[in-house]
Amino acid sequence: MAATWLKDTVFYEIYPQSFYDTNGDGIGDFNGIIEKLDYIKSLGCNALWINPCYDSPFKDAGYDVRDYKKVAPRYGTNNDLYRLFGEAHKRGIRVLLDLVPGHTSEEHEWFRQSQKDEKNEYTNRYIWTEFCFQGAGDLNYIGGESERSATYALNFFKCQPALNYGFLNPTEPWQLPIDHPDVLATREALKDIMRFWLSHGCDGFRVDMAASLVKHDDEKKTGTSAVWKDVRKMLDEEFPDAAMVAEWSEPPLALRAGYDMDFYLNIPGSGFASLMRDYPVYGKSDKKDNSYFKKDGDGDINRFLDQYMDWYEDTKDIGYISLITCNHDTNRARYTMEPDELKIAYSFLFTMPGVPFLYYGDEIGMRYLELKTKEGGYFRTGSRTPMQWTKGKNLGFSTGCEDSLYLPVDSAPDAPTVESEEANPDSLLNTVRKILALRHKEEDLQADAELKILCREKGKAFVFKRGNLTIAVNPSLKEVSAPVSVDGEVIYEIGKATLGSEIKLAPQTFVIVK
Ligand code: GLC
Ligand code: CA
């Protein structure tokens, strides 16, 4: 069962590089996050996920960890991060760090040792073949970079050698079984890192590429799941309040492997992509965008529900599905959608079961910018630009000079800022505040209350129940109805609904009825 504090939790994801710079060097820092905790709390978010903030050569924005127990100096010191934990906790905010279990940087000390010709404690910490001209089968691999006469397997980019959690059914001598002592040592090293941060006050982890650990795993991820069940056992015994969210996007497997939450990710063609990003992951296409929340599209909520409802029914008693507005790997929804569309989309995401995540800047409708790659970001770079706080210098992100900034700020004259959004009672920011305040007030809108669909027919109003509340949605520009009798008090309203034996929704309407 998932950690009990998740029942009424809404996360805010922070890409630390781009959130708030307090010393004018052009890059966000821990002190900046501390200074903005009250702002985050004012949104209705009561937990953070901070992208990797460890020492790193930053060839993949920090997902290439050089030292798991030391923070990157550009963000501050370990003590600054411990202070962040304390300041967050004072405000009732929990903090998840990003755990990268599948690979390290090629500059990690373990890897340097592993590359040596002489056998040592780290020889099998990574996956090596037996000869400098032997490939690693279907795994990507690198040769010619070490004194050891072998090649090593990669987990992602060239800079990220795969840690060795073994092979489910080894077929070659260099493939170790998942219970080999050296492979079990990798697992213990992972637990040691988790203990380190949890005992310094962090509340859990977002886990990077959680399904990637055991190689040649079966469809049910038996091998990788065994690792996570073992980790869960350690957490249950030593840190029972700790929570983990998986980057896996297969909740029936992830939640059974011991995760509290699993993200529903933006995989092209997936149900989630059909809500706000009905285009290829790398950019817009010429095809008409039929995202469900596009007002002029020809969207169909069934593309989402067909996948989501199966997962929901299967997992509702064991853990949570996490819906996100966006993340650091995904185009911001604002790429194709306007704030009026986002108000309805977010209202939906924040009234669904499970534990939602708001990506920094999405609350003000920050744009996706077309930029060249930075730190291995490629197309993702456009979703990683500095947070826009005020109309002032560098939009309030940094007092440094413009060319020192981690990435440029949005130069559009109408770039939204927290300042401008706060001044407008009807803004996207204030809509986020309203819906999250309501979620905290009404238990039926939180993680656990039962979801029941009342009408999901294409072209009609989409109507569902959360506990005793009825929610009706019409993102389109047409008036729609549904043959569902709804009566009661409207406690949240965008647009206009007419209740009765049949519910009627004006264009672009979202209502909650009690
Ligand atoms: C995950 C991260 C992504 C990173 C990759 C490799 O998908 O979210 O940003 O590049 O893993 O660690
Ligand atoms: Ca700084």
Side-chain angles (χ1 to χ4, degrees), residues 39-296:
Y39 165 74
I40 293 164
K41 186 82 201 201
S42 82
L43 296 174
C45 293
N46 52 3
L48 305 180
W49 153 29
I50 305 174
N51 287 112
C53 52
Y54 318 103
D55 180 44
S56 165
F58 292 104
K59 292 181 183 174
D60 185 15
Y63 284 96
D64 46 333
V65 179
R66 185 162 50 199
D67 185 341
Y68 284 106
K69 293 185 181 172
K70 187 177 163 263
V71 301
R74 70 189 200 181
Y75 302 133
T77 63
N78 275 30
N79 280 329
D80 293 332
L81 180 55
Y82 305 154
R83 203 160 56 81
L84 194 168
F85 295 151
E87 291 295 324
H89 292 161
K90 268 190 219 162
R91 293 163 174 83
I93 298 175
R94 314 251 181 175
V95 184
L96 300 192
L97 293 182
D98 210 314
L99 182 71
V100 188
H103 47 268
T104 65
S105 158
E106 60 195 341
E107 294 183 21
H108 194 289
E109 188 53 29
W110 296 342
F111 189 62
R112 294 204 186 288
Q113 294 297 325
S114 202
Q115 285 180 297
K116 291 193 172 153
D117 188 37
E118 299 82 26
K119 258 200 176 309
N120 61 56
E121 190 187 338
Y122 302 100
T123 298
N124 287 328
R125 181 61 51 96
Y126 298 82
I127 300 170
W128 291 88
T129 63
E130 289 172 300
F131 182 53
C132 61
F133 296 132
Q134 181 183 21
D138 57 342
L139 306 174
N140 290 329
Y141 65 93
I142 296 285
E145 300 237 325
S146 56
E147 64 179 38
R148 180 170 173 176
S149 176
T151 63
Y152 59 90
L154 299 175
N155 216 35
F156 198 67
F157 288 151
K158 183 263 170 190
C159 62
Q160 291 156 321
L163 283 162
N164 195 356
Y165 294 87
F167 286 71
L168 186 63
N169 295 302
T171 54
E172 302 278 343
W174 55 270
Q175 301 177 354
L176 302 182
I178 66 171
D179 56 356
H180 185 284
D182 292 351
V183 162
L184 291 176
T186 309
R187 250 196 231 187
E188 291 310 313
L190 175 67
K191 288 186 206 163
D192 174 62
I193 295 160
M194 297 175 81
R195 286 190 183 102
F196 176 84
W197 289 110
L198 290 167
S199 55
H200 277 106
C202 110
D203 299 286
F205 302 94
R206 175 268 185 184
V207 179
D208 186 64
M209 291 178 66
S212 75
L213 305 191
V214 170
K215 303 306 180 198
H216 295 179
D217 214 348
D218 57 12
E219 240 178 56
K220 297 212 123 141
K221 298 280 171 189
T222 311
T224 296
S225 297
V227 177
W228 292 121
K229 283 180 191 160
D230 186 32
V231 167
R232 181 85 250 175
K233 195 165 154 279
M234 179 280 281
L235 292 178
D236 286 345
E237 285 165 14
E238 300 174 34
F239 302 95
D241 253 359
M244 290 199 295
V245 55
E247 187 202 25
W248 189 322
S249 211
E250 230 181 312
L253 300 185
L255 302 178
R256 285 193 176 84
Y259 278 89
D260 303 78
M261 308 163 263
D262 186 21
F263 290 119
Y264 192 175
L265 294 176
N266 186 55
I267 296 160
S270 72
F272 182 70
S274 78
L275 295 178
M276 302 184 282
R277 298 175 184 86
D278 181 35
Y279 50 80
V281 68
Y282 307 114
K284 293 181 207 176
S285 68
D286 299 337
K287 196 175 111 265
K288 187 160 180 357
D289 182 346
N290 284 326
S291 296
Y292 177 67
F293 286 106
K294 271 225 69 80
K295 57 182 170 238
D296 56 353

Side-chain angles (χ1 to χ4, degrees), residues 16-17 20-32 73-76 397-398:
Q17 290 91 316
Y20 187 50
D21 172 26
T22 55
N23 63 351
D25 65 354
I27 193 148
D29 42 55
F30 294 131
N31 286 332
R74 70 189 200 181
Y75 302 133
F397 163 66
S398 169

Side-chain angles (χ1 to χ4, degrees), residues 483-494:
V484 178
S485 157
V486 183
D487 256 316
E489 186 201 345
V490 174
I491 57 169
Y492 180 86
E493 184 173 46
I494 295 173

Side-chain angles (χ1 to χ4, degrees), residues 225-395:
S225 297
V227 177
W228 292 121
K229 283 180 191 160
D230 186 32
V231 167
R232 181 85 250 175
K233 195 165 154 279
M234 179 280 281
L235 292 178
D236 286 345
E237 285 165 14
E238 300 174 34
F239 302 95
D241 253 359
M244 290 199 295
V245 55
E247 187 202 25
W248 189 322
S249 211
E250 230 181 312
L253 300 185
L255 302 178
R256 285 193 176 84
Y259 278 89
D260 303 78
M261 308 163 263
D262 186 21
F263 290 119
Y264 192 175
L265 294 176
N266 186 55
I267 296 160
S270 72
F272 182 70
S274 78
L275 295 178
M276 302 184 282
R277 298 175 184 86
D278 181 35
Y279 50 80
V281 68
Y282 307 114
K284 293 181 207 176
S285 68
D286 299 337
K287 196 175 111 265
K288 187 160 180 357
D289 182 346
N290 284 326
S291 296
Y292 177 67
F293 286 106
K294 271 225 69 80
K295 57 182 170 238
D296 56 353
D298 183 29
D300 182 356
I301 194 65
N302 288 297
R303 289 165 68 195
F304 170 78
L305 292 176
D306 285 347
Q307 190 169 32
Y308 179 87
M309 288 311 288
D310 284 352
W311 283 348
Y312 172 72
E313 294 297 343
D314 187 31
T315 60
K316 61 185 179 192
D317 298 326
I318 50 175
Y320 301 122
I321 300 171
S322 284
L323 298 177
I324 62 174
T325 59
C326 185
N327 67 19
H328 63 290
D329 295 328
T330 307
N331 292 26
R332 288 197 190 265
R334 182 74 200 276
Y335 191 35
T336 59
M337 305 220 300
E338 294 301 317
D340 57 338
E341 295 168 317
L342 293 175
K343 285 180 193 171
I344 296 176
Y346 294 175
S347 297
F348 169 73
L349 296 174
F350 295 149
T351 52
M352 286 290 277
V355 183
F357 281 67
L358 171 65
Y359 184 54
Y360 84 96
D362 278 353
E363 71 274 26
I364 57 171
M366 268 173 64
R367 294 190 170 89
Y368 173 84
L369 304 183
E370 308 275 355
L371 294 172
K372 273 198 193 144
T373 184
K374 169 94 180 185
E375 296 187 345
Y378 296 96
F379 75 90
R380 307 174 295 182
T381 307
S383 295
R384 299 176 174 185
T385 58
M387 178 68 181
Q388 299 159 195
W389 296 102
T390 66
K391 285 283 173 220
K393 184 179 181 187
N394 299 322
L395 299 185

Side-chain angles (χ1 to χ4, degrees), residues 444-457:
D444 278 352
L445 294 178
Q446 296 167 10
D448 290 322
E450 186 75 20
L451 165 69
K452 211 175 132 220
I453 308 294
L454 301 182
C455 177
R456 55 187 276 183
E457 211 177 305

